[in-house]
Amino acid sequence: MAFDLLIKEARVVDGSGMPAYVADVAVRDGRIAAIGRMQEPASRTIDADGLVLAPGFIDQHTHLDAHLLWDPAALPLPEHGVTSVITGNCGLSLMPSRPGQESALIGNFVRVEAIPRSILESVDWRWNSTAEYLGLLDQRLGVNVASMVGHNAIRQCVMGDDATEREATAEEITAMCELMREAMQDGAIGYSMNRNPRHFREDGKPLPSRVASPDELLQVAAVLSEFSGGIVQHSSPGNVSPEYLDWIAQLAAASGRPVVYSSINHRPDTPDEWREQLAYVERYIEQGLRLFGNTNIVPFVNRFSLRNGQFFDGLPSGLAMSAQPLEQRRRTLADPAFRAALRAEMDPAFAMRVARLKVLKTRRPALRSLERKTGEELAHLRGVSDPLDAMLDLALEDDLETTFLSGNPVEDVMGEIVKSPYTIVGQSDAGAHVQYLSNFGVCTTLLGQYVRERELLSLEGAVRELTFNVASIFGIRNRGLVWPGWAADLVIFDPDTVDSQDVEEANDYPGGFTRVLQHANGVHYTIVNGEVLVERGEHTGAYPGKVIRNSYTGAPGNARH
């Protein structure tokens, strides 16, 4: 019997971390049929000629919940070799919901993900339950999709408008647990929550998950202990204290499942914090708990203006300012008293961020000479003593349309963090912060910069981080390895050229809305369930993706979708 696809003379990096080898890989009926030397005919043959063939990459931290409804191919992620994505992170999911609550649920997404309400309201809302949402996705997908259920949605579904106002009653918590139980039976990959103090609803109120008591969160997490599948994901930024890790351990103990928490990274102002964090986590690992710090190997590089960004949201005065109507915001930004309050609230690390940020783009031609200047350089050129004043003055002159760039360079020590068995690579955040942040290129950056340019990881080790490690932690069956019988999710790339391109703008959202994104270099083919999805950067028009359900639902006799 002929193969559907035959890939010849590939350098196979199989996802296990074992050394690469040269072989042919044959695909039939969406699965890897054989690995070795094949002479049988195939409907299509790809001559890899020494290019690397690896398992398709799994992007475990995305916010594509709404994006997939108008772009089921999840572009441009597959250009970077991504074949599977996980949505519903940070407590944000589009299910479950009750009829009439759609507008309030959308309000959880508008500000955090920087997507206008008009786009989210244009979605044809044809679901309420987790089963209905996953069933809708399953009708047409380019990539494979697994989805968590967010605590924001669960809480709002039970409490309505009170979800952002008060703690839940015992009866309401019981109802939330039942919704979580139903979601797991319907195939959700896990449960996510958001304690991020910088994440607010469209109306300026905290996300519902932030109002919940610890006991409420633990009780809902404990539902997962009834299932042989699923994970807990916890979002809360900033420095990770021992108390925070103790809390993560409580979630792991209550749920009996792995917990992925945000985050662990190298911070220049606290350079040894990550070592202390990993040493502290190790004691819980030795007790049999599973805690994994999400590490973002591409430091968040924010493109923002003072019309749409959240740069100052971590400061009380800045948060109040960004919630104001545009005309009032202009007056506030010009007010010396506001600037003094902002300075008083900034710690030295934040002040350094202001000094280091860059002017990326100005609207007024007369200001173009200031592009690429740092905040510090801007202050010097304009004869002011404080980069904050220089930044705000420029923004006001440019009708708040100046685009700034904020971020830190990759530190070599990040290679050590990635190699730790207590971390997980990811956090592209694809689908979120779409007006000013784009980290689509997590996978290609790891292969291009960490492996080839800096030699911080081996190629085999980096591929394992992007494939089998993720599949193992999330309990994704039959994906993450190049192995006979496993799903034929594959990527073929050139290790000498693979990398992410610079961030650019695209007007490809509904209504021509502008977002930022990244394309890739060096990825020749991205194959999902045996079909070529992207070939040399172009979508083939195929939609071979599937919904990935948790391992409990996938077991014989348990499925109810």
Side-chain angles (χ1 to χ4, degrees), residues 394-408:
L394 173 60
L396 287 167
E397 288 178 40
D398 207 24
D399 196 28
L400 303 189
E401 292 193 7
T402 305
T403 303
F404 297 97
L405 193 70
S406 171
N408 294 313

Side-chain angles (χ1 to χ4, degrees), residues 213-232:
S213 68
D215 182 61
E216 175 186 322
L217 298 170
L218 286 170
Q219 286 195 51
V220 179
V223 171
L224 272 67
S225 67
E226 303 169 18
F227 300 86
S228 57
I231 71 113
V232 176

Side-chain angles (χ1 to χ4, degrees), residues 12 15 18 37 58 69 112 114 124 199 223 244 254 259 299 327 370 381 387 436 483-484 487 501 538 554 561:
V12 179
M18 295 292 286
R37 292 279 185 248
I58 305 172
L69 299 173
V112 174
D124 184 9
H199 282 182
V223 171
Y244 175 73
V259 179
E327 279 306 315
L370 300 177
L381 286 169
Y436 54 88
W483 196 251
Q501 295 182 14
E538 297 294 329
H561 54 273

Side-chain angles (χ1 to χ4, degrees), residues 109-378:
F109 284 76
V110 172
R111 183 166 178 177
V112 174
E113 300 196 353
I115 303 175
R117 170 175 279 275
S118 59
I119 292 180
L120 296 170
E121 286 182 336
S122 70
V123 168
D124 184 9
W125 201 291
R126 289 180 283 153
W127 70 90
N128 291 118
S129 70
T130 301
E132 290 169 341
Y133 174 78
L134 296 180
L136 179 63
L137 288 186
D138 228 354
Q139 294 176 18
R140 191 168 188 251
L141 282 174
V143 294
N144 304 307
V145 178
S147 183
M148 288 180 280
V149 169
H151 189 76
N152 292 305
I154 290 175
R155 194 168 215 269
Q156 190 165 291
C157 195
V158 170
M159 298 178 66
D161 291 341
D162 282 352
T164 60
E165 303 295 335
R166 61 173 175 85
E167 293 189 358
T169 65
E171 292 77 15
E172 288 167 336
I173 295 175
T174 298
M176 292 182 210
C177 290
E178 183 55 32
L179 282 175
M180 188 68 238
R181 189 171 292 111
E182 291 175 3
M184 290 299 295
Q185 292 167 345
D186 290 340
I189 202 73
Y191 163 57
S192 70
M193 66 192 71
N194 191 323
R195 309 291 271 178
N196 188 331
R198 296 182 61 182
H199 282 182
F200 292 84
R201 295 196 331 174
E202 177 189 22
D203 58 8
K205 293 181 179 181
L207 291 178
S209 186
R210 290 180 51 203
V211 183
S213 68
D215 182 61
E216 175 186 322
L217 298 170
L218 286 170
Q219 286 195 51
V220 179
V223 171
L224 272 67
S225 67
E226 303 169 18
F227 300 86
S228 57
I231 71 113
V232 176
Q233 188 270 333
H234 189 285
S235 176
S236 185
N239 294 343
V240 176
S241 65
E243 291 76 19
Y244 175 73
L245 294 173
D246 290 341
W247 162 243
I248 298 301
Q250 287 184 58
L251 288 169
S255 65
R257 305 302 305 163
V259 179
V260 173
Y261 64 90
S262 298
S263 60
I264 175 167
N265 286 291
H266 176 258
R267 305 177 194 277
D269 52 327
T270 54
D272 294 323
E273 181 187 64
W274 67 273
R275 297 181 192 277
E276 297 164 0
Q277 181 179 343
L278 289 177
Y280 198 87
V281 164
E282 189 168 23
R283 69 187 68 185
Y284 286 117
I285 300 292
E286 291 172 350
Q287 295 173 23
L289 300 180
R290 288 174 284 178
L291 317 179
F292 301 94
N294 200 4
T295 182
N296 182 28
I297 61 105
V298 184
F300 282 135
V301 177
N302 286 346
R303 297 161 55 104
F304 69 95
S305 75
L306 292 179
R307 282 178 175 261
N308 64 18
Q310 300 166 354
F311 184 76
F312 290 113
D313 277 11
L315 308 175
S317 297
L319 177 62
M321 173 273 297
S322 62
Q324 292 173 344
L326 207 55
E327 279 306 315
Q328 185 180 354
R329 196 183 310 172
R330 289 190 183 96
R331 293 192 296 271
T332 298
L333 289 167
D335 185 355
F338 164 76
R339 297 187 182 192
L342 210 58
R343 284 190 196 92
E345 294 164 0
M346 293 192 308
D347 60 21
F350 198 103
M352 184 62 71
R353 287 178 65 194
V354 174
R356 289 177 175 172
L357 63 77
K358 288 186 177 181
V359 179
L360 184 62
K361 185 170 65 174
T362 61
R363 182 182 65 86
R364 290 179 53 198
L367 300 172
R368 294 281 161 78
S369 63
L370 300 177
E371 292 178 354
R372 312 310 299 178
K373 303 299 183 186
T374 66
E376 196 167 46
E377 291 169 338
L378 191 63

